[in-house]
């Protein structure tokens, strides 16, 4: 910007025969120009300050916006991660429930198998006892049959002798 000319104590035009009113108007014009130059300089300084403040504010707003967007993105990523973790947890819970059900079924089957084994052992013991009883009866029956055969043979022999003696 141009600097206004410095004002001298006496106007240069005063000595050339101009009227006092014209000199006063020149002085006022010079004063007004100086004030205008000072006002323009002040306005330029204020405008520069405002521009600087606006740029700072816009930079802050932009940084805040960027930060907000980054935080939103992080928040959304965290939500996705939490949803994924929740889904994984539900899958794990379902797997655990199925494993518990399989384990309980296996325990029931094991208990049933043990009960069946106990009953089979009991039935086997009872069958052995019955077999031993039947064998003992069979042995008694054989002995009785042998005894009866001997008696029958003896009775048959006696009948033969009685027939021979009658004949």
């Amino acid at each position: 910007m141009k600097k206004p000319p410095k004002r001298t104590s006496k106007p240069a035009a005063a000595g050339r025969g101009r009227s006092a009113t014209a000199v006063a108007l020149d002085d006022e014009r010079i004063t007004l120009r100086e004030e205008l130059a000072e006002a323009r300089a002040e306005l330029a300084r204020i405008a520069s300050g405002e521009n600087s403040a606006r740029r700072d504010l816009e930079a802050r707003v932009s940084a805040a916006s960027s930060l907000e967007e980054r935080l939103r993105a992080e928040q959304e990523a965290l939500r996705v991660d939490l949803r994924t973790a929740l889904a994984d947890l539900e899958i794990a819970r379902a797997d655990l429930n199925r494993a518990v059900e399989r384990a309980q079924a296996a325990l029931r089957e094991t208990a049933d198998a043990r009960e069946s084994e106990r009953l089979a052992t009991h039935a086997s013991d009872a069958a052995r006892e019955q077999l031993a009883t039947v064998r003992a009866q069979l042995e008694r029956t054989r002995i009785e049959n042998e005894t009866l055969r001997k008696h029958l043979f003896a009775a048959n022999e006696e009948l033969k002798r009685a027939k021979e003696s009658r004949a």
Side-chain angles (χ1 to χ4, degrees), residues 138-156:
L138 182 61
E139 191 57 35
R140 281 191 305 268
T141 304
R142 278 189 198 149
I143 292 171
E144 284 177 14
N145 280 347
E146 192 60 37
T147 305
L148 285 175
R149 254 191 225 145
K150 286 180 185 175
H151 287 299
L152 187 58
F153 185 71
N156 196 13

Side-chain angles (χ1 to χ4, degrees), residues 57-117:
L57 184 59
E58 286 173 355
R60 286 181 189 168
V61 167
S62 176
S65 245
S66 296
L67 178 63
E68 186 178 340
E69 285 300 317
R70 187 175 53 86
L71 289 175
R72 277 191 192 132
E74 286 179 15
Q75 185 180 23
E76 187 59 32
L78 184 60
R79 282 184 182 143
V80 168
D81 289 348
L82 287 174
R83 285 183 190 129
T84 302
L86 183 60
D88 290 345
L89 178 64
E90 287 299 322
I91 290 168
R93 184 179 296 153
D95 289 346
L96 177 64
N97 287 340
R98 283 191 294 275
V100 166
E101 288 172 4
R102 283 192 304 267
Q104 287 173 346
L107 286 175
R108 281 191 299 272
E109 288 175 13
T110 302
D112 290 346
R114 284 184 183 158
E115 180 62 19
S116 295
E117 181 183 14

Side-chain angles (χ1 to χ4, degrees), residues 9-23:
S9 58
K10 287 186 183 179
R16 289 191 230 157
R18 295 179 93 200
S19 72
T21 310
V23 172

